[in-house]
Amino acid sequence: MLTTVRDQLGQALFQRVAGPDGPANRARIHDTPGPRWFGPDRPVRVVHGDASMFIGGLSALLLQSLHPLAMAAVAGHSGFRGDPWGRLQRTSTFLAVTTYGTAEDAQRAVDHVRAIHHRIRGTTAEGVPYHAADPRLLGWVHAAETDSFLRAHERFGAAPLDAAGYDAYVGDTARVAEALGVSDPPRDRRELAERLTAYRPELRATPEARSAARFLLLRPPVPLAVRPFYGGLAANAVALLPPWARGMLWLPRVPVVEGLAVRPTGQVLTRAIRWVMTPPTHTRRT
């Protein structure tokens, strides 16, 4: 009975995250023979396959929103408010294909995203032009995402890596970043920290960024029954942000509450997601 409940919950969550084509995509990604960008022992597979990604992904969206050009591109072209689950499903599929899929499929996914980026152009409310294919802008999105995934795994991962492992993770993600058009992406954690610091003068919380934060944190597109669980993930996504980023977004820090309640809640929720997302018994690979 417990296994049946787990399988049903896992299938429902997987469908939400991966979409209706999730099972077919999973089979194609994992079962198609051929060379991969990353072998089975690479850290990127460990990090991207862990339940901590649920928290890291939310934190990454909040952090990425602090670049006015990136936020303008998202607000104007991504449709994240009208179709947030579709955007999540496309993003999760891209991560899965580039992390676990064949080299051919990974390159095809990258080419598709680059074609989309090439078409996305516009101007901010202040009249500043942006282009989603700009290597500098892509570099910010990549650095914010990589840092968020890394720190989420370090805090909530089932098997946290050592320092060398996280350096190697940053190096692995650089492979995908270069394919997407990022110039000279960071190769280890020190370079990643330096790159984030270098972007600081360009960052600010625009009205669009704060509106996106309110949408993600206060008005999430999830059923009412699920909101308490989502709220626990969101609180930990906020706690994961660098202090300067939280300040920009007007997200207060309460150390005692975070230490006694927020972080333990994150541990419980990621363990629960990890348990629920165990592949159903009839699809489990040996």
Side-chain angles (χ1 to χ4, degrees):
M1 178 64 71
L2 190 60
T3 300
T4 300
V5 171
R6 181 186 64 188
D7 289 353
Q8 291 175 345
L9 290 173
Q11 289 175 26
L13 181 56
F14 179 74
Q15 184 173 21
R16 274 292 193 177
V17 173
D21 296 328
N25 286 334
R26 178 168 58 188
R28 174 176 58 83
I29 289 167
H30 292 281
D31 297 340
T32 302
R36 264 73 176 163
W37 281 358
F38 306 107
D41 60 337
R42 295 306 306 169
V44 68
R45 285 182 167 235
V46 176
V47 174
H48 289 178
D50 191 84
S52 60
M53 290 285 284
F54 282 81
I55 294 175
L58 271 173
S59 192
L61 291 175
L62 294 169
L63 185 58
Q64 288 168 342
S65 75
L66 289 174
H67 197 297
L69 302 185
M71 189 62 240
V74 168
H77 301 273
S78 78
F80 78 98
R81 289 180 184 273
D83 185 25
W85 288 107
R87 186 170 189 265
L88 172 62
Q89 290 157 10
R90 291 187 292 273
T91 300
S92 67
T93 300
F94 176 82
L95 284 169
V97 171
T98 53
T99 302
Y100 306 103
T102 64
E104 182 179 355
D105 277 352
Q107 187 60 55
R108 187 179 296 115
V110 163
D111 291 342
H112 177 69
V113 170
R114 291 194 71 159
I116 294 173
H117 286 168
H118 184 73
R119 297 194 298 267
I120 295 177
R121 300 171 182 266
T123 57
T124 67
E126 293 79 15
V128 180
Y130 62 81
H131 184 199
D134 176 7
R136 177 75 180 171
L137 194 55
L138 289 170
W140 163 251
V141 173
H142 167 70
E145 178 182 270
T146 300
D147 186 67
S148 298
F149 290 167
L150 187 158
R151 287 185 292 109
H153 189 269
E154 188 175 43
R155 183 172 296 183
F156 300 108
L161 304 175
D162 58 15
Y166 284 123
D167 279 344
Y169 169 70
V170 177
D172 285 348
T173 64
R175 168 72 176 86
V176 181
E178 280 190 319
L180 284 170
V182 177
S183 299
D184 189 28
R187 307 284 175 176
D188 58 32
R189 198 168 189 179
R190 178 185 60 80
E191 290 184 2
L192 178 60
E194 291 173 351
R195 193 65 52 87
L196 289 170
T197 299
Y199 275 102
R200 288 280 300 276
E202 303 173 33
L203 307 180
R204 61 188 179 87
T206 61
E208 293 81 5
R210 293 199 175 101
S211 176
R214 288 193 296 271
F215 175 75
L216 291 170
L217 301 177
L218 302 178
R219 296 189 294 273
V222 297
L224 287 175
V226 180
R227 288 199 178 186
F229 304 99
Y230 179 91
L233 296 176
N236 278 280
V238 170
L240 207 62
L241 288 169
W244 53 265
R246 294 178 64 163
M248 286 183 177
L249 289 168
W250 299 343
L251 299 172
R253 183 169 184 267
V254 186
V256 174
V257 174
E258 290 179 7
L260 294 178
V262 174
R263 187 177 297 196
T265 298
Q267 296 285 2
V268 170
L269 288 172
T270 49
R271 289 192 190 106
I273 293 170
R274 199 172 290 122
W275 177 75
V276 165
M277 292 293 284
T278 301
T281 52
H282 62 278
T283 62
R284 196 169 299 155
R285 295 175 177 82
T286 58

